[in-house]
Amino acid sequence: MSQTVQPLLQVNHLRKNFGAIEAVKDVSFDIEPAEIVAIVGDNGAGKSTVAKMIAGAYRRDGGEMLWNSTPYDPTQPDDARAIGIETMYQDLALVNDLDAAGNIFLNREPMRRIFGVLPVLDRGQMRSRSADILRRVKIELPSYDRPVRQLSGGQRQAAALGRILLSDRARLIIMDEPTAALGVQEQRKVLDLISSLGEAGIAIMIISHNLEHVFSVSRRIVVLRGGRLAGVVKTAEVDRQHVVSLIVGGGA
Ligand SMILES: Nc1ncnc2c1ncn2[C@@H]1O[C@H](COP(=O)(O)OP(=O)(O)O)[C@@H](O)[C@H]1O
Ligand SMILES: [Mg+2]
């Protein structure tokens, strides 16, 4: 289908130990530009550890990573962000007392001057730019000036995403179980959002144990089992049973 596309990210033979635990043993896969790739596997399969190595949160113990065919060796999350790899964490890292616009612009607030002297936050600009950013990925928030703690889970995710999109440099967003804490309707919205991000040219690496979600948004599925790569499949070419058999192993 697309053998000539140059991968955005390649991970080759990744390894990570925690003391005597070999959490990730030999994992290789790639992600193409704007591709939505799902990572699946049982609890403890190594999914989050792989994500954290890519995101610069953990140092790998072996293997290599390439970003646009260039060696990529992050030592901290800022190294990942600098080249366009962002992570949406499960706790979302939002400031609950701030509104959505305040969260999106946290530490990057535009200022204006009253009477040409007193610097104050330019809240109007923060709100209108926040709405612009989220509209690009087809999100409307009901309010940009209510504390985010009053928003629903899906709306909070939208605010966290707005923060990632503000700098306009994200090329890959890693999402670890983004639908896990949400109600059914909100899950659907987050899946739509993931598809919109792909259409906007941003690659997504989504970790999920929900195969229905995985099948509805991903182009390829990477299966991990016991820290090893159990398979990489094109979503359109397999059924759920096949993926389940890769997850649990043992079968033919
Ligand atoms: N910080 C850590 N310290 C020690 N062991 C860890 C740590 N993180 C993960 N592990 C272990 O590594 C293995 C893989 O964990 P993880 O990557 O979280 O799996 P998954 O996300 O697929 O559930 C598990 O055995 C887990 O207990
Ligand atoms: Mg995990």
Side-chain angles (χ1 to χ4, degrees):
M1 217 195 289
S2 56
Q3 271 74 359
T4 56
V5 175
Q6 174 176 300
L8 182 66
L9 173 75
Q10 290 165 271
V11 305
N12 298 325
H13 309 296
L14 273 194
R15 270 196 314 110
K16 179 73 189 173
N17 305 327
F18 296 107
I21 299 170
E22 296 180 282
V24 174
K25 290 166 194 163
D26 180 10
V27 170
S28 305
F29 63 92
D30 59 44
I31 299 178
E32 293 178 7
E35 188 182 26
I36 300 173
V37 172
I39 313 286
V40 304
D42 257 340
N43 278 340
K47 306 180 296 293
S48 295
T49 303
V50 166
K52 286 174 180 168
M53 286 190 276
I54 295 170
Y58 286 160
R59 209 71 208 271
R60 65 181 185 273
D61 292 318
E64 60 162 14
M65 295 192 274
L66 300 174
W67 179 256
N68 288 318
S69 304
T70 306
Y72 164 58
D73 188 16
T75 59
Q76 53 181 352
D78 278 347
D79 296 341
R81 270 181 226 120
I83 62 163
I85 299 177
E86 294 276 357
T87 309
M88 245 171 81
Y89 290 101
Q90 233 152 29
D91 62 9
L92 295 177
L94 291 172
V95 180
N96 280 318
D97 292 331
L98 279 181
D99 59 27
N103 271 285
I104 289 171
F105 280 92
L106 191 64
N107 298 325
R108 292 174 286 186
E109 295 88 349
M111 307 296 282
R112 66 187 174 89
R113 290 182 182 275
I114 305 180
F115 309 123
V117 279
L118 273 179
V120 294
L121 290 188
D122 190 343
R123 290 187 188 284
Q125 192 196 139
M126 284 164 65
R127 275 174 213 152
S128 66
R129 281 183 58 198
S130 294
D132 285 346
I133 288 165
L134 290 182
R135 212 172 289 126
R136 288 210 310 260
V137 288
K138 300 179 193 151
I139 297 172
E140 299 272 356
L141 280 186
S143 155
Y144 287 90
D145 50 13
R146 245 192 287 162
V148 292
R149 89 151 69 77
Q150 295 176 11
L151 300 181
S152 71
Q155 291 162 353
R156 290 166 55 81
Q157 285 204 347
L161 185 76
R163 183 165 170 70
I164 286 173
L165 297 178
L166 176 65
S167 69
D168 208 23
R169 77 185 162 195
R171 293 295 167 264
L172 169 65
I173 300 178
I174 298 169
M175 299 182 176
D176 196 342
E177 298 282 359
T179 56
L182 303 179
V184 174
Q185 283 190 355
E186 294 239 295
Q187 290 177 352
R188 192 62 251 168
K189 284 188 193 149
V190 170
L191 295 173
D192 290 345
L193 164 63
I194 289 170
S195 299
S196 299
L197 287 167
E199 286 161 22
I202 297 172
I204 305 287
M205 175 173 146
I206 174 180
I207 295 173
S208 178
H209 64 269
N210 187 318
L211 288 187
E212 190 191 327
H213 294 174
V214 164
F215 272 83
S216 78
V217 294
S218 71
R219 180 175 171 277
R220 286 189 298 156
I221 303 171
V222 172
V223 186
L224 301 185
R225 186 170 69 234
R228 290 186 191 283
L229 187 72
V232 180
V233 294
K234 285 191 176 160
T235 310
E237 295 175 356
V238 295
D239 59 13
R240 259 200 248 187
Q241 191 47 49
H242 181 77
V243 174
V244 169
S245 71
L246 289 172
I247 291 171
V248 299

